[in-house]
Amino acid sequence: MDIMANTLLAAGASPAMLHTLQELQDFTPHIHALCINIGTLSPDWLPSMKSAAQTAAQLGKPWVLDPVAVFASEFRLRACLELLGLRPTVVRGNASEVIALANASTGIGKGVDSIHESTDAVDAAKSLARASGAVVAVSGAVDIITDGQQVIGVHNGVAMMQKITATGCAVTALIAAFIAVDPSHPLEATASALSVFGVAGEMGMEFARGPASLRMHLIDALHGLDQAAILSRVKITSIE
């Protein structure tokens, strides 16, 4: 939650981190986008997640699903399949998470980490996008984004970002902020968020000495990004 909230604040968004069912009916109508992350999933939190997604959908608010370690347990898989049925606008995961969700299977990851490259998950991502109606993003050395037809690649970021816990969660939150601004173009908003986050990582790496300092400098870089830096560094390509 910490790095997600700080990423959003650095980017100019206003996060509220909630999991209590009793509060959701007060908060959800006022949001511009919802991000559901199952990283610390529990039986008590799942009803809150489903309620928030249902309310967002009813109000026409975009929402993003992060199926953290969906491959690790049957409980996580069932929860994600239920949430997927509530029609998220975007699903963002690593390659093993997207493959597991597309195939409704478990046991293909390493703890919460991926054992696949993002490019291994292109077909699974396209299939998941077509089945769910969501834009699907696969994080990796090259981030893959697809709506089931188009496939876009984002070539920003640095390898050390993988050594900071919850950077994937943070970029999912940033995707939610971007689709809050441009809800009618979720494919473009998702690709833009991934690229901007990667650019911030590249800029932060220029001052970092390791993962801990990169975390700090990444957030600082995101806060200080200007149009010139983005236009000179963004690397987004069409893959298919």
Side-chain angles (χ1 to χ4, degrees):
M1 285 190 193
D2 174 77
I3 192 171
M4 291 172 70
N6 282 314
T7 293
L8 289 168
L9 286 167
S14 178
M17 321 303 278
L18 304 173
H19 58 261
T20 303
L21 185 62
Q22 288 80 1
E23 290 188 302
L24 292 173
Q25 295 306 312
D26 294 323
F27 271 89
T28 309
H30 304 291
I31 64 171
H32 294 100
L34 171 71
C35 177
I36 293 181
N37 180 297
I38 70 157
T40 52
L41 186 64
S42 74
D44 293 332
W45 285 18
L46 183 55
S48 299
M49 295 176 178
K50 292 166 67 176
S51 175
Q54 288 169 339
T55 302
Q58 290 167 0
L59 296 172
K61 311 278 189 177
W63 73 278
V64 183
L65 173 63
D66 193 327
V68 179
V70 61
F71 48 72
S73 71
E74 289 292 337
F75 175 55
R76 285 179 178 270
L77 178 60
R78 288 195 304 271
C80 283
L81 291 175
E82 291 177 15
L83 289 166
L84 197 63
L86 298 175
R87 309 291 287 181
T89 310
V90 179
V91 176
R92 201 289 316 167
N94 63 39
S96 293
E97 289 164 349
V98 169
I99 292 170
L101 195 53
N103 296 320
S105 61
T106 58
I108 61 170
K110 178 184 177 184
V112 298
D113 297 323
S114 180
I115 60 172
H116 299 88
E117 299 296 328
S118 57
T119 49
D120 298 334
V122 171
D123 289 341
K126 290 173 69 176
S127 175
L128 181 60
R130 287 193 292 263
S132 66
V135 167
V136 176
V138 188
S139 294
V142 176
D143 299 319
I144 304 295
I145 307 98
T146 181
D147 58 3
Q149 301 298 325
Q150 299 180 73
V151 181
I152 296 172
V154 170
H155 306 260
N156 291 108
V158 293
M160 195 174 287
M161 293 169 75
Q162 298 176 13
K163 301 296 184 182
I164 306 170
T165 189
T167 49
C169 303
V171 78
T172 302
L174 191 63
I175 289 168
F178 274 54
I179 62 169
V181 173
D182 194 3
S184 61
H185 298 96
L187 183 75
E188 293 84 350
T190 300
S192 298
L194 285 159
S195 186
V196 165
F197 192 72
V199 167
E202 293 167 4
M203 296 175 68
M205 194 66 211
E206 295 172 4
F207 302 96
R209 299 180 61 185
S213 56
L214 176 57
R215 184 185 193 275
M216 176 182 71
H217 289 299
L218 186 158
I219 293 171
D220 283 351
L222 185 61
H223 174 70
L225 274 179
D226 57 22
Q227 186 180 47
I230 292 171
L231 292 178
S232 65
R233 288 178 175 262
V234 161
K235 298 175 184 175
I236 301 174
T237 63
S238 176
I239 292 180
E240 292 182 12

